[in-house]
């Protein structure tokens, strides 16, 4: 039993962890063909199977709100599944242990949402954190992760209530970055606002046919689906700069926003609520007196 490989995932206040089922090497250098993937069937349609199953151990300080949970994410359009607590009917005996491997069996139908009913094109399986309100977040050990129509039999514990509705924001993986030289003097209610983190953030939330890039067509702004982190490329011309749009881009006849960029509820963000803007960048070009700005 102890010889089987397993994943060891320690979540933090800010980041969940998990397993990527996406292509991890695809772009202009590959002719947009997938050259590397973490699973034998990238971006699978989970509804081709009836169950997701694995064995798990988990440790942490849990309460009625902070529990070990799981969710899925789709790259494009950017959908999230229901968030399921790993307890009750999904877990052999009703709860996970920090010392004993316990079988988990999840019906795929429990993960589906009205927005994402067929659970197709799955990019990531997330074992989730509990957020910034908790100093101790879940530590997961996971093994034997598979999709099946013939799951092991479990003795279900007490049946839980309906799945938690999908989150308004999706979990993110940690990106390498330097800490500010001086810590913030104000403690924001959220540690950061994700603006553009992956290719799926390039278009409006409501309609993927509309871009969130400024001057995308004129400047030929491109997005690279990169193994470490997605990135976009902007090549300004002598007359026009390029960049990112924020907030509502169009309202319907009732003045309700129906095209918005980034998760700011259709409104432009108040940047004074944060102390820093940060990102990773590379730049090229030579022109006397011209600096990247």
């Amino acid at each position: 039993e102890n010889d089987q490989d397993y994943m060891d995932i320690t979540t933090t206040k800010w980041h969940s962890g998990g397993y990527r089922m996406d292509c991890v090497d695809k772009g202009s250098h590959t002719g947009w063909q997938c050259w590397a993937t973490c699973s034998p069937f990238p971006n699978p349609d989970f509804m081709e199977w009836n169950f997701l199953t694995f064995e798990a151990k988990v440790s942490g300080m849990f309460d009625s709100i902070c529990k070990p949970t799981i969710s899925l994410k789709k790259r494009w359009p950017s959908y999230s599944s229901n968030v399921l607590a790993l307890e009750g009917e999904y877990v052999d005996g009703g709860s996970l242990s920090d010392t004993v491997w316990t079988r988990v069996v999840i019906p795929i139908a429990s993960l589906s949402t009205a927005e994402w009913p067929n659970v197709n094109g799955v990019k990531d399986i997330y074992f989730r954190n509990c957020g910034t309100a908790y100093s101790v977040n879940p530590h997961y050990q996971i093994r034997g992760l598979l999709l099946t129509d013939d799951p092991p039999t479990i003795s279900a514990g007490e049946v839980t209530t309906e799945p938690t509705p999908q989150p308004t924001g999706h979990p993110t993986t940690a990106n390498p970055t330097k800490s500010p030289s001086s810590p913030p003097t104000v403690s924001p209610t959220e540690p950061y606002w994700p603006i553009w983190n992956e290719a799926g953030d390039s278009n409006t939330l409501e309609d993927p046919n509309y871009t969130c890039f400024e001057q995308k067509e004129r400047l030929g702004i491109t997005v690279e689906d990169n193994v470490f982190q997605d990135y976009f490329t902007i090549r300004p011309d002598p007359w026009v700069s390029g960049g990112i749009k924020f907030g509502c881009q169009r309202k319907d006849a009732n003045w309700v926003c129906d095209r918005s960029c980034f998760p700011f509820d259709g409104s432009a963000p108040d940047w004074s609520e944060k102390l820093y803007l940060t990102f990773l960048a590379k730049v090229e070009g030579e022109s006397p007196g011209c600096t990247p700005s």
Side-chain angles (χ1 to χ4, degrees):
E1 175 183 314
N2 294 325
D3 293 337
Q4 186 176 344
D5 294 345
Y6 62 89
M7 295 183 283
D8 192 274
I9 302 169
T10 302
T11 64
T12 70
K13 288 184 178 183
W14 302 279
H15 297 107
S16 301
Y19 185 72
R20 175 147 291 181
M21 305 196 74
D22 201 17
C23 180
V24 295
D25 188 14
K26 181 175 71 174
S28 57
H29 66 291
T30 71
W32 298 103
Q33 300 299 309
C34 184
W35 280 8
T37 179
C38 292
S39 65
F41 39 86
N43 304 114
D45 178 353
F46 271 33
M47 280 296 184
E48 291 184 8
W49 294 269
N50 287 319
F51 299 92
L52 172 68
T53 184
F54 52 90
E55 289 185 312
K57 296 180 188 177
V58 66
S59 61
M61 298 178 63
F62 303 117
D63 56 25
S64 61
I65 298 174
C66 180
K67 300 179 180 182
T69 54
I70 187 173
S71 67
L72 310 177
K73 187 185 173 191
K74 179 183 175 78
R75 173 178 288 280
W76 188 250
S78 183
Y79 294 150
S80 293
S81 74
N82 279 320
V83 177
L84 302 180
L86 298 178
E87 62 180 11
E89 61 185 312
Y90 305 121
V91 178
D92 192 19
S95 62
L96 296 175
S97 164
D98 61 350
T99 58
V100 178
W101 288 107
T102 305
R103 172 64 58 182
V104 177
V105 177
I106 299 173
I108 302 302
S110 295
L111 292 159
S112 68
T113 67
E115 183 182 49
W116 193 19
N118 51 2
V119 198
N120 64 338
V122 174
K123 173 192 171 188
D124 296 307
I125 302 173
Y126 276 108
F127 296 94
R128 298 172 58 90
N129 66 354
C130 291
T132 57
Y134 292 86
S135 59
V136 178
N137 275 267
H139 174 202
Y140 300 88
Q141 292 178 316
I142 306 295
R143 71 183 189 183
L145 188 66
L146 58 90
L147 292 160
T148 181
D149 288 327
D150 186 20
T153 300
I154 63 173
S155 175
E158 181 180 350
V159 177
T160 58
T161 57
E162 291 297 317
T164 306
Q166 65 181 46
T168 55
H170 54 73
T172 58
T173 51
N175 299 319
T177 180
K178 292 184 177 180
S179 299
S181 55
S182 298
T185 56
V186 177
S187 297
T189 55
E190 298 176 273
Y192 62 86
W193 285 343
I195 297 173
W196 194 98
N197 193 54
E198 59 182 35
D201 296 328
S202 302
N203 298 75
T204 60
L205 300 173
E206 299 81 4
D207 191 335
N209 294 314
Y210 293 89
T211 183
C212 286
F213 288 119
E214 189 71 49
Q215 300 291 343
K216 178 182 179 181
E217 297 302 324
R218 173 166 178 163
L219 300 180
I221 296 174
T222 59
V223 174
E224 292 289 339
D225 193 347
N226 187 268
V227 61
F228 296 109
Q229 185 179 0
D230 298 351
Y231 64 90
F232 57 85
T233 300
I234 299 177
R235 298 178 178 85
D237 65 27
W239 302 276
V240 171
S241 301
I244 297 174
K245 301 175 182 179
F246 283 92
C248 188
Q249 304 301 309
R250 192 187 76 171
K251 294 184 178 180
D252 62 19
N254 296 315
W255 293 95
V256 175
C257 186
D258 61 3
R259 290 181 194 165
S260 57
C261 291
F262 313 110
F264 295 111
D265 299 323
S267 61
D270 180 358
W271 282 36
S272 67
E273 294 184 19
K274 294 286 178 271
L275 297 178
Y276 301 95
L277 171 67
T278 183
F279 52 90
L280 294 171
K282 294 193 290 187
V283 66
E284 61 181 15
E286 295 182 9
S287 182
C290 177
T291 57
S293 59

